[in-house]
Amino acid sequence: MNLLSVRALKKDFGIKEVLKEASFTLARGDKVGLIGTNGSGKSTLLKMIAGIEPPDQGEIWLSGGARTIYVSQQPDLDEDKTVLEQVFADSGQQMLLVKEYEEISEKLTQEEGDTDKLINRLSSLSQEMEATGAWELETNAKIILNQLGIHNLTTKIKELSGGYRKRIALASALLSQPDILLMDEPTNHLDAISVEWLQGYLSRYQGALLLITHDRYFLDRVTNTIIEIDRGDLYSYTGNYAYYLEKKAEAEDSIASTQRKHSGVLRRELEWLKKGPKARSTKQKARIDRISQMQEREFKQIQGKVEITTAGRRIGKKVIELFNVFKSYNGRTLIKDFTYIFNPEDRIGIIGSNGAGKSTLMDIVTNRVAPDSGSVEIGSTIHIGYFDQHCDDLLLNENQRVIDYLKDVAELVKTAEGTVITASQMLERFLFPPTQQYAPINKLSGGEKRRLFLLRVLISAPNVLILDEPTNDLDVQTLAVLEEYLEDFNGCVIVVSHDRYFLDRVVETIFAFEEGGKLIQYAGNYSVYLDTKKAQTETVKSQSSLQPAKIKAQSSYKNSKSSKLSFKEKQEYEKLETQIPVMETEKAEIEKVLSQNPPSDFNKIQEISSRLAKLNEAIEMATFRWLELAERET
């Protein structure tokens, strides 16, 4: 049964028609990746389905009772709510029970108020939570919040950064379990570990999912359908991203072959026509009419691709040299005694958790920020191109025309082939048609602004290219072309990114931020780094297992003392010990029914199978949380 039907949807912003006669459906279990160049209408389509943007024409139909939640790139949250209140905002009565339970538990922990009265209320609350399923909600919430790096639940939303707000909106959406989940760039502002977890979570998601993402590993492993928006038209591919690439290549080859055949036939027919056949029989007139029809036939050209063909400049032996660099903020060490001499051919990836100091390091490298101690030396021939993740701050005048913004850097651009072209021609190579070139910057989508800023950086002909989160808001087509460009780039490339695919394609060395502001160097791309870390972890485990029992016991006692369970965590631990066996018993009974005596009604089988899938997920999450608490309880 379809949860959503989109029929003949149209949207035109004047300078561009983004959707024309767009139609598709979503059923439960569909996981659809929406792709297309920046400005093609991906975010607009999600907003129309969410009821935020009105369509010009067409119909959006939702199945009765189907709940839809939309996670935008810049979510609109209640500034006065705490993190906990916002996360449970769509959970109704369950949220109120969990909130009161948390408040009373906190009072008991702080030994505030009438202890006996509080314990009695906590006992009755526990029964209400059991009856309404709020216990499971709280357990899931803590797992989701922990995996997304959200720990302080009492902070007001207005005190948080944009990236943190995005994670809170994401947690709230996952917790509410809607029938249809709409997500616009959900992996932005998440580190690699959180992305990996989210990828697994959405793979098991029971509802319908429609998402936009630049993360191609994520797209490949989560989706079972790809919908591409190409100049207003929608094309659907039943399969993941790898399947789409294969079928897309076949389709483009087929179009090119058909055009070649058409051109060949038309050429021969025109040659016949030029000979001026004397006899004008009915048969010949029909042939002449057919030639006329062939001349009028139009083929949709293969989708335009960004062309990056900017010229470089000579790079000397001395690039950028950092010696014993130290930097801290508010007493927290971000970078400690970092020394590295960058080479002309370096391809370096900088990774670390949010707030670790990656962007600060790039600001130090470019002399935007001075280190507390240590030195930075930049070679005399070095010209740095810095693709900052906060490009909106650098597009100072949003009323400025697109072409004027580029002409501020260069009116004539030298290409990699040695030819000189105009700024307008270069904009066309970056998929900005003339109608957009003379429009103000504020008419561009977020992704188009990023693409424009990238072009401005590249036409300055840098020989050191610093890319700070380049994959945020750039479409997958542009990223693929940028990766090819970087392979042949004659200079040093430094990348700060969470995008696993991009790092695997581009870098040859990883610098990882670790505890205490240390930067550890690993040879190879991101996948090699993960293998190295895994091997190191296994070695540590192996060595740990050989330690004397007495030392292990002392260590265990020390750890348990330092992370003692709070009163509410003890309550949760005891509740999970009861809940997990109950769920496992129900699971075993359902599996027995399905294997030994399945119902004849297909709808009943579907209902039972759906319950089994939910039980498996609930058991997995509850067990994960129980193990986490048990490790600290013992």
Side-chain angles (χ1 to χ4, degrees), residues 415-437:
T415 69
E417 296 80 24
T419 58
V420 176
I421 63 175
T422 65
S424 178
Q425 289 172 314
M426 181 55 81
L427 281 167
E428 286 200 59
R429 292 189 178 197
F430 257 63
L431 303 187
F432 292 103
T435 53
Q436 276 190 306
Q437 293 178 21

PDB file of all heavy atoms in Angstrom, residues 415-437:
ATOM      1  N   THR A 415      42.371  28.316 -18.882  1.00  0.00           N
ATOM      2  CA  THR A 415      41.990  26.932 -18.603  1.00  0.00           C
ATOM      3  C   THR A 415      43.227  26.050 -18.531  1.00  0.00           C
ATOM      4  O   THR A 415      44.341  26.461 -18.879  1.00  0.00           O
ATOM      5  CB  THR A 415      41.053  26.389 -19.684  1.00  0.00           C
ATOM      6  OG1 THR A 415      41.787  26.244 -20.909  1.00  0.00           O
ATOM      7  CG2 THR A 415      39.866  27.310 -19.908  1.00  0.00           C
ATOM      8  N   ALA A 416      43.024  24.808 -18.108  1.00  0.00           N
ATOM      9  CA  ALA A 416      44.123  23.850 -18.024  1.00  0.00           C
ATOM     10  C   ALA A 416      44.721  23.554 -19.389  1.00  0.00           C
ATOM     11  O   ALA A 416      45.891  23.178 -19.506  1.00  0.00           O
ATOM     12  CB  ALA A 416      43.621  22.551 -17.382  1.00  0.00           C
ATOM     13  N   GLU A 417      43.911  23.729 -20.452  1.00  0.00           N
ATOM     14  CA  GLU A 417      44.399  23.481 -21.814  1.00  0.00           C
ATOM     15  C   GLU A 417      45.197  24.656 -22.370  1.00  0.00           C
ATOM     16  O   GLU A 417      45.753  24.571 -23.467  1.00  0.00           O
ATOM     17  CB  GLU A 417      43.213  23.197 -22.756  1.00  0.00           C
ATOM     18  CG  GLU A 417      42.427  21.938 -22.436  1.00  0.00           C
ATOM     19  CD  GLU A 417      41.434  22.155 -21.295  1.00  0.00           C
ATOM     20  OE1 GLU A 417      41.021  23.312 -21.072  1.00  0.00           O
ATOM     21  OE2 GLU A 417      41.107  21.159 -20.612  1.00  0.00           O
ATOM     22  N   GLY A 418      45.241  25.764 -21.616  1.00  0.00           N
ATOM     23  CA  GLY A 418      46.002  26.916 -22.057  1.00  0.00           C
ATOM     24  C   GLY A 418      45.197  27.972 -22.782  1.00  0.00           C
ATOM     25  O   GLY A 418      45.719  29.038 -23.116  1.00  0.00           O
ATOM     26  N   THR A 419      43.915  27.716 -23.030  1.00  0.00           N
ATOM     27  CA  THR A 419      43.070  28.703 -23.696  1.00  0.00           C
ATOM     28  C   THR A 419      42.532  29.702 -22.670  1.00  0.00           C
ATOM     29  O   THR A 419      42.521  29.426 -21.465  1.00  0.00           O
ATOM     30  CB  THR A 419      41.893  28.018 -24.410  1.00  0.00           C
ATOM     31  OG1 THR A 419      41.132  27.275 -23.440  1.00  0.00           O
ATOM     32  CG2 THR A 419      42.390  27.075 -25.498  1.00  0.00           C
ATOM     33  N   VAL A 420      42.107  30.856 -23.164  1.00  0.00           N
ATOM     34  CA  VAL A 420      41.549  31.886 -22.295  1.00  0.00           C
ATOM     35  C   VAL A 420      40.070  32.058 -22.615  1.00  0.00           C
ATOM     36  O   VAL A 420      39.693  32.226 -23.779  1.00  0.00           O
ATOM     37  CB  VAL A 420      42.290  33.228 -22.476  1.00  0.00           C
ATOM     38  CG1 VAL A 420      41.636  34.322 -21.629  1.00  0.00           C
ATOM     39  CG2 VAL A 420      43.761  33.086 -22.092  1.00  0.00           C
ATOM     40  N   ILE A 421      39.224  31.974 -21.594  1.00  0.00           N
ATOM     41  CA  ILE A 421      37.780  32.118 -21.788  1.00  0.00           C
ATOM     42  C   ILE A 421      37.262  33.200 -20.847  1.00  0.00           C
ATOM     43  O   ILE A 421      37.936  33.601 -19.891  1.00  0.00           O
ATOM     44  CB  ILE A 421      37.023  30.791 -21.553  1.00  0.00           C
ATOM     45  CG1 ILE A 421      37.190  30.314 -20.109  1.00  0.00           C
ATOM     46  CG2 ILE A 421      37.469  29.727 -22.533  1.00  0.00           C
ATOM     47  CD1 ILE A 421      36.365  29.078 -19.777  1.00  0.00           C
ATOM     48  N   THR A 422      36.060  33.665 -21.105  1.00  0.00           N
ATOM     49  CA  THR A 422      35.471  34.714 -20.274  1.00  0.00           C
ATOM     50  C   THR A 422      34.899  34.132 -18.983  1.00  0.00           C
ATOM     51  O   THR A 422      34.670  32.920 -18.867  1.00  0.00           O
ATOM     52  CB  THR A 422      34.332  35.428 -21.017  1.00  0.00           C
ATOM     53  OG1 THR A 422      33.275  34.489 -21.232  1.00  0.00           O
ATOM     54  CG2 THR A 422      34.821  35.997 -22.344  1.00  0.00           C
ATOM     55  N   ALA A 423      34.641  35.016 -18.033  1.00  0.00           N
ATOM     56  CA  ALA A 423      34.015  34.589 -16.776  1.00  0.00           C
ATOM     57  C   ALA A 423      32.655  33.959 -17.050  1.00  0.00           C
ATOM     58  O   ALA A 423      32.266  32.975 -16.407  1.00  0.00           O
ATOM     59  CB  ALA A 423      33.875  35.782 -15.831  1.00  0.00           C
ATOM     60  N   SER A 424      31.925  34.497 -18.018  1.00  0.00           N
ATOM     61  CA  SER A 424      30.611  33.952 -18.365  1.00  0.00           C
ATOM     62  C   SER A 424      30.733  32.528 -18.899  1.00  0.00           C
ATOM     63  O   SER A 424      29.946  31.648 -18.538  1.00  0.00           O
ATOM     64  CB  SER A 424      29.931  34.850 -19.400  1.00  0.00           C
ATOM     65  OG  SER A 424      28.681  34.303 -19.769  1.00  0.00           O
ATOM     66  N   GLN A 425      31.723  32.287 -19.750  1.00  0.00           N
ATOM     67  CA  GLN A 425      31.921  30.934 -20.298  1.00  0.00           C
ATOM     68  C   GLN A 425      32.315  29.950 -19.193  1.00  0.00           C
ATOM     69  O   GLN A 425      31.878  28.796 -19.192  1.00  0.00           O
ATOM     70  CB  GLN A 425      32.999  30.978 -21.386  1.00  0.00           C
ATOM     71  CG  GLN A 425      32.545  31.667 -22.667  1.00  0.00           C
ATOM     72  CD  GLN A 425      33.693  31.874 -23.640  1.00  0.00           C
ATOM     73  OE1 GLN A 425      34.782  32.312 -23.263  1.00  0.00           O
ATOM     74  NE2 GLN A 425      33.459  31.566 -24.914  1.00  0.00           N
ATOM     75  N   MET A 426      33.138  30.418 -18.252  1.00  0.00           N
ATOM     76  CA  MET A 426      33.524  29.542 -17.145  1.00  0.00           C
ATOM     77  C   MET A 426      32.316  29.219 -16.267  1.00  0.00           C
ATOM     78  O   MET A 426      32.160  28.091 -15.791  1.00  0.00           O
ATOM     79  CB  MET A 426      34.625  30.196 -16.315  1.00  0.00           C
ATOM     80  CG  MET A 426      35.103  29.338 -15.139  1.00  0.00           C
ATOM     81  SD  MET A 426      35.658  27.662 -15.631  1.00  0.00           S
ATOM     82  CE  MET A 426      37.309  28.037 -16.210  1.00  0.00           C
ATOM     83  N   LEU A 427      31.440  30.195 -16.060  1.00  0.00           N
ATOM     84  CA  LEU A 427      30.223  29.940 -15.296  1.00  0.00           C
ATOM     85  C   LEU A 427      29.354  28.892 -15.980  1.00  0.00           C
ATOM     86  O   LEU A 427      28.760  28.032 -15.314  1.00  0.00           O
ATOM     87  CB  LEU A 427      29.432  31.236 -15.106  1.00  0.00           C
ATOM     88  CG  LEU A 427      29.931  32.172 -14.005  1.00  0.00           C
ATOM     89  CD1 LEU A 427      29.284  33.542 -14.132  1.00  0.00           C
ATOM     90  CD2 LEU A 427      29.643  31.583 -12.618  1.00  0.00           C
ATOM     91  N   GLU A 428      29.274  28.932 -17.295  1.00  0.00           N
ATOM     92  CA  GLU A 428      28.498  27.918 -18.019  1.00  0.00           C
ATOM     93  C   GLU A 428      29.095  26.537 -17.820  1.00  0.00           C
ATOM     94  O   GLU A 428      28.369  25.544 -17.711  1.00  0.00           O
ATOM     95  CB  GLU A 428      28.423  28.282 -19.504  1.00  0.00           C
ATOM     96  CG  GLU A 428      27.484  29.451 -19.790  1.00  0.00           C
ATOM     97  CD  GLU A 428      27.044  29.509 -21.246  1.00  0.00           C
ATOM     98  OE1 GLU A 428      26.446  28.521 -21.718  1.00  0.00           O
ATOM     99  OE2 GLU A 428      27.309  30.533 -21.893  1.00  0.00           O
ATOM    100  N   ARG A 429      30.431  26.452 -17.770  1.00  0.00           N
ATOM    101  CA  ARG A 429      31.077  25.156 -17.520  1.00  0.00           C
ATOM    102  C   ARG A 429      30.765  24.649 -16.116  1.00  0.00           C
ATOM    103  O   ARG A 429      30.855  23.463 -15.848  1.00  0.00           O
ATOM    104  CB  ARG A 429      32.595  25.280 -17.691  1.00  0.00           C
ATOM    105  CG  ARG A 429      33.026  25.542 -19.131  1.00  0.00           C
ATOM    106  CD  ARG A 429      34.521  25.449 -19.285  1.00  0.00           C
ATOM    107  NE  ARG A 429      34.929  25.657 -20.669  1.00  0.00           N
ATOM    108  CZ  ARG A 429      36.123  25.324 -21.159  1.00  0.00           C
ATOM    109  NH1 ARG A 429      37.022  24.760 -20.375  1.00  0.00           N
ATOM    110  NH2 ARG A 429      36.423  25.548 -22.431  1.00  0.00           N
ATOM    111  N   PHE A 430      30.418  25.569 -15.218  1.00  0.00           N
ATOM    112  CA  PHE A 430      30.032  25.193 -13.858  1.00  0.00           C
ATOM    113  C   PHE A 430      28.506  25.136 -13.719  1.00  0.00           C
ATOM    114  O   PHE A 430      27.969  25.213 -12.618  1.00  0.00           O
ATOM    115  CB  PHE A 430      30.627  26.179 -12.845  1.00  0.00           C
ATOM    116  CG  PHE A 430      31.829  25.634 -12.119  1.00  0.00           C
ATOM    117  CD1 PHE A 430      32.989  25.313 -12.821  1.00  0.00           C
ATOM    118  CD2 PHE A 430      31.811  25.433 -10.747  1.00  0.00           C
ATOM    119  CE1 PHE A 430      34.090  24.802 -12.157  1.00  0.00           C
ATOM    120  CE2 PHE A 430      32.908  24.927 -10.082  1.00  0.00           C
ATOM    121  CZ  PHE A 430      34.056  24.608 -10.781  1.00  0.00           C
ATOM    122  N   LEU A 431      27.821  24.988 -14.832  1.00  0.00           N
ATOM    123  CA  LEU A 431      26.370  24.786 -14.896  1.00  0.00           C
ATOM    124  C   LEU A 431      25.566  25.987 -14.409  1.00  0.00           C
ATOM    125  O   LEU A 431      24.499  25.837 -13.813  1.00  0.00           O
ATOM    126  CB  LEU A 431      25.952  23.520 -14.124  1.00  0.00           C
ATOM    127  CG  LEU A 431      26.608  22.210 -14.572  1.00  0.00           C
ATOM    128  CD1 LEU A 431      25.972  21.031 -13.835  1.00  0.00           C
ATOM    129  CD2 LEU A 431      26.529  21.998 -16.068  1.00  0.00           C
ATOM    130  N   PHE A 432      26.073  27.186 -14.675  1.00  0.00           N
ATOM    131  CA  PHE A 432      25.303  28.401 -14.425  1.00  0.00           C
ATOM    132  C   PHE A 432      24.938  29.008 -15.780  1.00  0.00           C
ATOM    133  O   PHE A 432      25.774  29.686 -16.399  1.00  0.00           O
ATOM    134  CB  PHE A 432      26.106  29.417 -13.602  1.00  0.00           C
ATOM    135  CG  PHE A 432      26.365  28.993 -12.185  1.00  0.00           C
ATOM    136  CD1 PHE A 432      27.617  28.518 -11.803  1.00  0.00           C
ATOM    137  CD2 PHE A 432      25.359  29.065 -11.231  1.00  0.00           C
ATOM    138  CE1 PHE A 432      27.856  28.126 -10.502  1.00  0.00           C
ATOM    139  CE2 PHE A 432      25.596  28.681  -9.919  1.00  0.00           C
ATOM    140  CZ  PHE A 432      26.848  28.197  -9.551  1.00  0.00           C
ATOM    141  N   PRO A 433      23.711  28.756 -16.281  1.00  0.00           N
ATOM    142  CA  PRO A 433      23.312  29.297 -17.587  1.00  0.00           C
ATOM    143  C   PRO A 433      23.196  30.819 -17.528  1.00  0.00           C
ATOM    144  O   PRO A 433      23.131  31.405 -16.437  1.00  0.00           O
ATOM    145  CB  PRO A 433      21.950  28.646 -17.830  1.00  0.00           C
ATOM    146  CG  PRO A 433      21.428  28.328 -16.466  1.00  0.00           C
ATOM    147  CD  PRO A 433      22.615  27.994 -15.633  1.00  0.00           C
ATOM    148  N   PRO A 434      23.184  31.477 -18.686  1.00  0.00           N
ATOM    149  CA  PRO A 434      23.120  32.950 -18.712  1.00  0.00           C
ATOM    150  C   PRO A 434      21.991  33.542 -17.876  1.00  0.00           C
ATOM    151  O   PRO A 434      22.152  34.606 -17.266  1.00  0.00           O
ATOM    152  CB  PRO A 434      22.938  33.251 -20.199  1.00  0.00           C
ATOM    153  CG  PRO A 434      23.612  32.107 -20.897  1.00  0.00           C
ATOM    154  CD  PRO A 434      23.341  30.915 -20.041  1.00  0.00           C
ATOM    155  N   THR A 435      20.828  32.864 -17.822  1.00  0.00           N
ATOM    156  CA  THR A 435      19.709  33.407 -17.028  1.00  0.00           C
ATOM    157  C   THR A 435      20.057  33.510 -15.551  1.00  0.00           C
ATOM    158  O   THR A 435      19.551  34.377 -14.848  1.00  0.00           O
ATOM    159  CB  THR A 435      18.461  32.518 -17.182  1.00  0.00           C
ATOM    160  OG1 THR A 435      18.818  31.162 -16.888  1.00  0.00           O
ATOM    161  CG2 THR A 435      17.885  32.615 -18.582  1.00  0.00           C
ATOM    162  N   GLN A 436      20.924  32.602 -15.060  1.00  0.00           N
ATOM    163  CA  GLN A 436      21.329  32.648 -13.658  1.00  0.00           C
ATOM    164  C   GLN A 436      22.495  33.603 -13.417  1.00  0.00           C
ATOM    165  O   GLN A 436      22.621  34.183 -12.349  1.00  0.00           O
ATOM    166  CB  GLN A 436      21.732  31.250 -13.165  1.00  0.00           C
ATOM    167  CG  GLN A 436      20.567  30.382 -12.712  1.00  0.00           C
ATOM    168  CD  GLN A 436      21.064  29.136 -12.012  1.00  0.00           C
ATOM    169  OE1 GLN A 436      21.867  28.382 -12.544  1.00  0.00           O
ATOM    170  NE2 GLN A 436      20.575  28.900 -10.814  1.00  0.00           N
ATOM    171  N   GLN A 437      23.328  33.787 -14.428  1.00  0.00           N
ATOM    172  CA  GLN A 437      24.536  34.600 -14.256  1.00  0.00           C
ATOM    173  C   GLN A 437      24.210  36.052 -13.915  1.00  0.00           C
ATOM    174  O   GLN A 437      24.986  36.708 -13.215  1.00  0.00           O
ATOM    175  CB  GLN A 437      25.396  34.544 -15.519  1.00  0.00           C
ATOM    176  CG  GLN A 437      26.000  33.176 -15.784  1.00  0.00           C
ATOM    177  CD  GLN A 437      26.802  33.154 -17.072  1.00  0.00           C
ATOM    178  OE1 GLN A 437      27.228  34.188 -17.573  1.00  0.00           O
ATOM    179  NE2 GLN A 437      27.013  31.954 -17.616  1.00  0.00           N
TER     180      GLN A 437
END
